Amino acid sequence: MQEPQERTGRARDLGRRAHLASRPDPRKWIQCPRPNPDASLRLVCLPYSGGRASVFTWLAAELPGDVEVCAIEFPGHGRRLGEAPMTRLRPLVEQLADVIAARIRPPFVLLGYSVGALIAFETARAFVRRGGPGPNALFVAAARAPHLRSPRPPLHELSRAELVEGLHRLAGRHNELLDNEELVDVMLPVLRADLGLDETYAREPGSPLDCPIAAFGGSEDWTVSRPSLEAWREHTTGDFSATTLPGGHFFLDSSRGLFAEALTAEIKRLDEMI
């Protein structure tokens, strides 16, 4: 019969093994279009609902050469399409924080687009809770401040036809990809999961971040008004800026050059503070 101390040690060892086994594999999560081990700054990019890591590929060629773009591929998206998308924000954030802590060398900035901005914000808060080094800045795009609710009706529980129509309205234009029935069959579960992360979100009380926040919005984005963009100011004790670019919710695509220039300006401003 095992002694109590031996059984306790064995249980503790099994617990450690289970924890290690449950950790996310960072290699699945991060894609770097232009790897640069000597980069002076890493920009960790989180995509919009249904988006894949590759939507940020072009950005690697537009930013300064000493900035490494590290794009996040969430479960169920892009190359991870065979995995189930995550439907709860807190576990997603905790796994993402684990991945970043394991694979991203500081200094780094989190850039979140649309629902990615919400995930980036909560990931920055997770680093604060853990007491370890977090992002040197938070860049948020096409997203209202997290304490504000969306002006549009929720989409994630609508019927197939209603959800497709709602996605057209959200984009501010007809998206021809949504005319492909087979593609819609594949993507709707992922889109429902991502939209649900945003539409069921309730911010827990907490202190503002101490890192700078830079917010970017589209001049024709009816879902994110200028006041709701500027309201991000409430979530930092550090520097804050808000920039409006031409385009709707997906100015990431329609104003690529201007967006890259705006990001570069914020990165250069951050360099002076690091």
Side-chain angles (χ1 to χ4, degrees), residues 26-174:
R27 294 169 297 181
K28 293 183 178 181
W29 287 73
I30 301 174
Q31 295 181 23
C32 300
R34 292 189 175 186
N36 182 3
D38 299 322
S40 61
L41 181 73
R42 286 167 177 83
L43 185 66
V44 182
C45 303
L46 286 61
Y48 46 77
S49 295
R52 55 195 302 173
S54 61
V55 302
F56 296 107
T57 298
W58 65 273
L59 196 54
E62 299 291 332
L63 296 181
D66 60 344
V67 176
E68 183 181 35
V69 171
C70 303
I72 298 298
E73 191 86 282
F74 291 121
H77 299 65
R79 297 179 183 177
R80 306 179 68 186
L81 194 59
E83 301 177 40
M86 299 188 71
T87 58
R88 294 172 56 215
L89 186 64
R90 186 65 176 263
L92 174 59
V93 163
E94 293 298 333
Q95 288 196 35
L96 180 57
D98 284 344
V99 167
I100 293 173
R103 289 296 295 269
I104 301 297
R105 187 186 309 164
F108 69 91
V109 172
L110 294 177
L111 165 62
Y113 201 99
S114 194
V115 72
L118 180 63
I119 299 170
F121 170 69
E122 286 297 336
T123 302
R125 296 179 89 192
F127 278 108
V128 173
R129 289 194 299 271
R130 296 177 179 200
N136 290 73
L138 174 64
F139 293 173
V140 292
R144 65 192 179 280
H147 64 282
L148 302 177
R149 290 293 79 208
S150 173
R152 62 172 172 77
L155 298 177
H156 74 284
E157 293 184 340
L158 294 179
S159 69
R160 176 192 175 100
E162 290 173 327
L163 177 54
V164 169
E165 180 59 31
L167 292 170
H168 287 309
R169 290 197 307 271
L170 179 62
R173 56 180 172 81
H174 184 86

Side-chain angles (χ1 to χ4, degrees), residues 88-272:
R88 294 172 56 215
L89 186 64
R90 186 65 176 263
L92 174 59
V93 163
E94 293 298 333
Q95 288 196 35
L96 180 57
D98 284 344
V99 167
I100 293 173
R103 289 296 295 269
I104 301 297
R105 187 186 309 164
F108 69 91
V109 172
L110 294 177
L111 165 62
Y113 201 99
S114 194
V115 72
L118 180 63
I119 299 170
F121 170 69
E122 286 297 336
T123 302
R125 296 179 89 192
F127 278 108
V128 173
R129 289 194 299 271
R130 296 177 179 200
N136 290 73
L138 174 64
F139 293 173
V140 292
R144 65 192 179 280
H147 64 282
L148 302 177
R149 290 293 79 208
S150 173
R152 62 172 172 77
L155 298 177
H156 74 284
E157 293 184 340
L158 294 179
S159 69
R160 176 192 175 100
E162 290 173 327
L163 177 54
V164 169
E165 180 59 31
L167 292 170
H168 287 309
R169 290 197 307 271
L170 179 62
R173 56 180 172 81
H174 184 86
N175 188 337
E176 294 181 357
L177 292 176
L178 295 175
D179 295 332
N180 185 321
E181 294 291 328
E182 293 182 0
L183 181 62
V184 169
D185 286 340
V186 172
M187 290 304 301
L188 279 194
V190 179
L191 287 165
R192 286 188 191 278
D194 289 353
L195 290 166
L197 292 176
D198 178 45
E199 294 170 351
T200 62
Y201 172 73
R203 185 177 66 91
E204 296 181 2
S207 301
L209 300 172
D210 59 7
C211 66
I213 294 180
F216 306 88
S219 60
E220 300 171 25
D221 185 357
W222 65 272
T223 67
V224 183
S225 65
R226 177 72 187 195
S228 67
L229 193 69
E230 293 180 345
W232 279 96
R233 185 188 304 272
E234 299 182 27
H235 296 281
T236 180
T237 59
D239 287 351
F240 174 80
S241 66
T243 303
T244 300
L245 300 168
H249 192 67
F250 293 100
F251 63 85
L252 170 74
D253 296 321
S254 62
S255 294
R256 283 187 173 186
L258 293 175
F259 187 36
E261 288 178 10
L263 289 172
T264 298
E266 289 298 331
I267 289 170
K268 288 181 177 179
R269 194 155 68 97
L270 182 63
D271 282 343
E272 298 174 357

